[in-house]
DNA sequence: TATTTTATAGAGCGATGCTCTTGTATTAGA
DNA sequence: TCTAATACAAGAGCATCGCTCTATAAAATA
């Protein structure tokens, strides 16, 4: 329906400018020229609206990353990885409130519905595809490929292993997971203000920091 | 004052059980048997109370980590690091709402006052001290110690370098920063639910995952 | 004792999420 | 074409919130 889209658009704008905590159904209703009770015909609750925005944000981030990555030659695994990392960070800087919504503190009592799972996995999927190509091309660190590992860790990473499709040693999967965590941790730290008084924020300083992180992540997997 | 302490205690309990978003001055007042307007004699605003709790949480985490680390022999750098990491994670699991408060999404419009800086730096300081001892003992990776680095990165990490006291190569500082980010990123990912449907959560599985992270962080710095 | 300070209560403002009832168009069926 | 069902919106209302203002009781001070 038309109105549903209008509500979503207004909500998106409110989220981007004020952030999720101050997103109010009444304000959106006011803006669209209807009563607060009227929007409840289209939105089940505030949490419901939040879910729309969460899915929306995941998809926006996923699309931005995929688009950027697709612009790099398939053989250039390093370039694809670096481009993806930068796209993620750039999207986050451009959409800080959206980032906080999906990667920040969970709302107590709120349980993410199933329809958020697929959008949430777009970036991990992208990183996974890059990893798989690196493995296929034999460009992953030898010591990692051959390493035997705690069986508990094996089972812990079973869901990830299956998602990858091809057989990848657990040590490699774990290293990829660490890169994934490191990437999102670094972006969150920067956005959530943990670098205040710790890292310089002059022109280019944060970029340089992040770029070196990317290089180190590549090193850790062994892609060279 | 007595009442101030009572308010803080009640607030702490509310935070731990319901989380920060639903922390209400009125509820605290009700619980202490006074009017909502009465608490405003002791608390300037809700944000003010939040700041108390933030400082409190940072100190609680800092104290727990320091206590754990102090129980390890000084020469055992690996043990000190591992113990600190585990203490941080354990504290987070035991105090999820407090963790979300200090490491989750920043409240839009809220600016952390200066009195949060020192408590916030307790864990980084602890990690820094371990790093310094490792450097002094010559136990940091050679390749890292000798590496030359982008001057922009140099200046970006200047605040950190000064905080460490002794001369540590930028490449090492950056690596330590990555470990710091990785540690807090990993804990946040686990607590904020990003591992749902991705990492198994059977008995010991998450522990095994984290333990290997710790080992890899040690490897990356080169402590062995 | 008189006065000033301190601590509390109470009422009130504007805002929120959400529900329930009422009213009105538009559409579908007889 | 008339009627009945349906879709949609408005309005009032409830409980809650942060916060302010004023009036009042108690305690400390002069």
């Amino acid at each position: 329906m038309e109105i549903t889209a209008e509500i979503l658009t207004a909500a998106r704008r409110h989220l981007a400018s004020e952030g999720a905590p101050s997103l109010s159904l009444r304000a959106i209703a006011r803006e669209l020229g209807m009563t607060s009770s009227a929007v409840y015909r289209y939105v089940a609750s505030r949490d419901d609206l939040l879910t729309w925005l969460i899915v929306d944000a995941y998809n926006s981030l996923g699309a931005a990353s995929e688009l950027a990555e697709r612009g790099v030659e398939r053989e250039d695994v390093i370039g694809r990885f670096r481009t993806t990392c930068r796209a993620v960070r750039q999207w986050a800087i451009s959409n800080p409130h959206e980032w906080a919504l999906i990667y920040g503190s969970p709302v107590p009592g709120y349980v993410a519905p199933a329809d958020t799972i697929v959008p949430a996995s777009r970036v991990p999927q992208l990183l996974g595809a890059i990893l798989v190509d690196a493995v296929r091309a034999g460009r992953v660190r030898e010591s990692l490929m051959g390493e035997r590992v705690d069986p508990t860790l094996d089972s812990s990473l079973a869901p990830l292993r299956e998602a990858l499709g091809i057989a990848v040693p657990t040590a490699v999967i774990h290293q990829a997971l660490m890169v994934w965590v490191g990437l999102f941790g670094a972006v969150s730290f920067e956005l959530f203000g943990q670098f205040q008084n710790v890292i310089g924020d002059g022109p280019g300083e944060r970029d340089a920091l992040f770029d070196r992180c990317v290089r180190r992540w590549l090193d850790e997997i062994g892609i060279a």
Side-chain angles (χ1 to χ4, degrees), chain A residues 180-198:
Chain A
W180 178 47
V181 170
L183 168 59
F184 283 79
V187 172
S188 286
F189 252 43
E190 182 177 348
L191 256 81
F192 293 173
Q194 295 290 339
F195 284 167
Q196 215 92 46
N197 312 311
V198 176

Side-chain angles (χ1 to χ4, degrees), chain A residues 47-82:
Chain A
D47 275 8
D48 186 42
L49 183 62
L50 252 303
T51 300
W52 292 9
L53 292 172
I54 288 173
V55 170
D56 202 68
Y58 274 129
N59 277 324
S60 171
L61 169 62
S65 310
E66 288 163 10
L67 185 71
E69 194 261 358
R70 214 170 297 138
V72 184
E73 285 181 40
R74 279 11 254 148
E75 295 77 31
D76 183 8
V77 182
I78 294 179
R80 284 164 64 193
F81 177 76
R82 174 175 288 132

Side-chain angles (χ1 to χ4, degrees), chain A residues 77-79 81-82 130 139 141 179 212-224:
Chain A
V77 182
I78 294 179
F81 177 76
R82 174 175 288 132
I130 298 174
R139 299 182 64 181
R141 231 171 66 208
V179 168
R212 181 168 176 98
C213 285
V214 174
R215 248 190 39 206
R216 294 289 301 112
W217 289 323
L218 282 164
D219 285 348
E220 284 160 16
I221 296 199
I223 305 175

Side-chain angles (χ1 to χ4, degrees), chain A residues 102-217:
Chain A
I102 55 184
Y103 292 110
S105 343
V107 179
Y110 176 87
V111 275
D115 19 343
T116 62
I117 297 181
V118 171
S121 65
R122 286 176 71 167
V123 173
Q125 210 96 43
L126 187 56
L127 292 171
I130 298 174
L131 176 71
V132 165
D133 283 0
V135 171
R136 280 222 180 86
R139 299 182 64 181
V140 168
R141 231 171 66 208
E142 279 303 320
S143 60
L144 225 49
M145 289 293 290
E147 189 172 347
R148 283 198 64 106
V149 130
D150 176 14
T152 310
L153 183 69
D154 252 342
S155 77
S156 161
L157 293 175
L160 261 182
R161 186 178 12 257
E162 287 182 28
L164 285 181
I166 72 167
V168 178
T170 298
V172 174
I173 296 180
H174 182 269
Q175 186 59 60
L177 179 85
M178 285 188 73
V179 168
W180 178 47
V181 170
L183 168 59
F184 283 79
V187 172
S188 286
F189 252 43
E190 182 177 348
L191 256 81
F192 293 173
Q194 295 290 339
F195 284 167
Q196 215 92 46
N197 312 311
V198 176
I199 307 288
D201 59 349
E205 289 191 339
R206 302 251 158 126
D207 297 332
L209 184 85
F210 186 76
D211 272 4
R212 181 168 176 98
C213 285
V214 174
R215 248 190 39 206
R216 294 289 301 112
W217 289 323

